[in-house]
Amino acid sequence: MRAFKYVHRPGPHEAGTDLKLYYCGMEDCAPGHSWGPGLKDHYKIHYVHRGRGVYRTPWQTYELSAGYGFLVSPDTVSSYQADLDEPWTYSWAAFNGVQAKHYLQRARLSPEQPVFECRRPEVIEGCLQRMFEAGKSSPSRDMKLLGALYDFLSVLTDEAYEEGDMPPEAFVPMRDRYVKQALEFIETNYSRNFTIEELAQSIGLGRKYLSRLFKEALGVSPQHFLLRYRMDKASELMSNGELSIGQIAYSVGYKDQLLFSRMFKKMKGLAPSHYRNR
């Protein structure tokens, strides 16, 4: 008996987003109810509330019961089946997105390691219930669903580490962490006019030290990286014929169109108008 199912069809505005929820639901499975072997083109996480069942991947067979869950990964042949005597009741969330794999890796989930155990079932069940509630009609349904999905994945990430465990980022050298923070700042703020001094201050470093870290890690200065990043973004915007060169310049942090044109030609070898016509 199917207790709940919500299907969301991502629209064009969601293309390239970090995460996009496809569908979610809950089901009391009939004895022996099964899926596969087959492929999906997205990720799907099942969480077992009660009962038993089997999940099979190309590498291993898992016998699962209440408190466990499993990940179905895209382009990986898998199958699952409810027990004949104690069929499972499970919830599921199906999703994808450009950061989906990254978030799952943080939760220590992958095609080769697809099973997890939840030590706090009330927490993960609460997340799923909020996801189901968010699926009810409302003007902000898509935002509520996405928020619930992030909450769900955050719980899985927390559950993946025993108390005292160190997450993977704890073993990243401090230099690399600083560079990563600087790159994230640039990606978020490239469309406004800011100085390298401001960039350095945002992560608590001096300008000279940040420049040294950048050159060691990326082979270029922060100024050069920022210029290249902005001009790459400008190149992408050139395909939009409704935007003027001045609007493109402003969109990548340049109020002075002449300065933008000079920097663009320096990086791309052509003036913006010639680059667009080509």
Side-chain angles (χ1 to χ4, degrees):
M1 180 183 73
R2 181 155 296 171
F4 172 87
K5 184 175 182 181
Y6 169 76
V7 178
H8 173 60
R9 304 188 186 282
H13 65 288
E14 294 175 278
T17 55
D18 275 6
L19 282 178
K20 43 193 173 185
L21 180 70
Y22 286 6
Y23 54 93
C24 59
M26 181 177 179
E27 186 169 5
D28 294 321
C29 293
H33 171 75
S34 64
W35 181 90
L39 292 172
K40 293 186 181 294
D41 63 356
H42 53 269
Y43 294 99
K44 187 176 181 181
I45 293 177
H46 292 74
Y47 174 75
V48 183
H49 297 278
R50 52 188 173 271
R52 310 176 65 85
V54 173
Y55 177 51
R56 295 182 177 87
T57 72
W59 305 279
Q60 196 165 342
T61 296
Y62 303 88
E63 296 183 0
L64 303 175
S65 57
Y68 283 85
F70 59 94
L71 169 71
V72 178
S73 295
D75 304 322
T76 300
V77 176
S78 61
S79 64
Y80 43 93
Q81 182 174 5
D83 188 76
L84 292 174
D85 298 319
E86 298 179 62
W88 52 18
T89 293
Y90 52 42
S91 294
W92 66 83
F95 59 93
N96 216 331
V98 296
Q99 291 294 324
K101 181 178 180 180
H102 168 71
Y103 290 132
L104 289 167
Q105 286 175 337
R106 290 181 61 180
R108 293 180 168 177
L109 291 172
S110 67
E112 295 78 22
Q113 295 179 312
V115 170
F116 62 90
E117 180 182 8
C118 186
R119 299 183 301 276
R120 300 174 298 161
E122 71 282 357
V123 177
I124 199 167
E125 288 174 6
C127 286
L128 289 162
Q129 186 58 42
R130 287 192 292 276
M131 192 180 298
F132 301 156
E133 290 294 326
K136 298 178 180 179
S137 296
S138 77
S140 60
R141 178 175 59 180
D142 58 334
M143 291 183 283
K144 289 177 180 176
L145 280 164
L146 188 56
L149 177 59
Y150 274 109
D151 194 23
F152 178 58
L153 292 175
S154 73
V155 169
L156 293 183
T157 301
D158 291 339
E159 286 288 297
Y161 297 92
E162 299 282 353
E163 187 174 353
D165 274 1
M166 298 294 285
E169 54 266 28
F171 300 99
V172 176
M174 188 60 70
R175 181 200 70 178
D176 294 344
R177 282 193 242 174
Y178 284 140
V179 172
K180 181 175 183 290
Q181 290 175 27
L183 294 176
E184 290 173 348
F185 184 93
I186 290 172
E187 291 169 0
T188 304
N189 294 277
Y190 74 91
S191 61
R192 68 179 185 86
N193 186 21
F194 65 87
T195 64
I196 300 302
E197 184 71 30
E198 183 182 347
L199 167 61
Q201 289 177 354
S202 74
I203 53 179
L205 299 179
R207 175 175 174 164
K208 289 185 178 179
Y209 184 53
L210 176 63
S211 296
R212 193 177 82 198
L213 294 182
F214 248 77
K215 288 179 180 177
E216 289 175 356
L218 303 174
V220 296
S221 67
Q223 294 96 325
H224 184 86
F225 182 90
L226 174 59
L227 176 60
R228 185 174 66 194
Y229 191 88
R230 281 173 164 162
M231 295 308 128
D232 286 345
K233 289 293 182 181
S235 299
E236 295 174 13
L237 294 175
M238 292 290 178
S239 61
N240 187 341
E242 297 182 0
L243 293 176
S244 68
I245 299 300
Q247 289 171 325
I248 292 173
Y250 201 88
S251 298
V252 296
Y254 286 86
K255 294 182 179 179
D256 186 337
Q257 183 177 332
L258 292 177
L259 176 60
F260 165 75
S261 297
R262 190 161 66 248
M263 293 298 100
F264 189 91
K265 185 174 182 180
K266 177 180 178 181
M267 294 299 295
K268 300 297 182 180
L270 291 172
S273 57
H274 293 160
Y275 185 94
R276 167 175 271 176
N277 291 336
R278 185 193 66 174

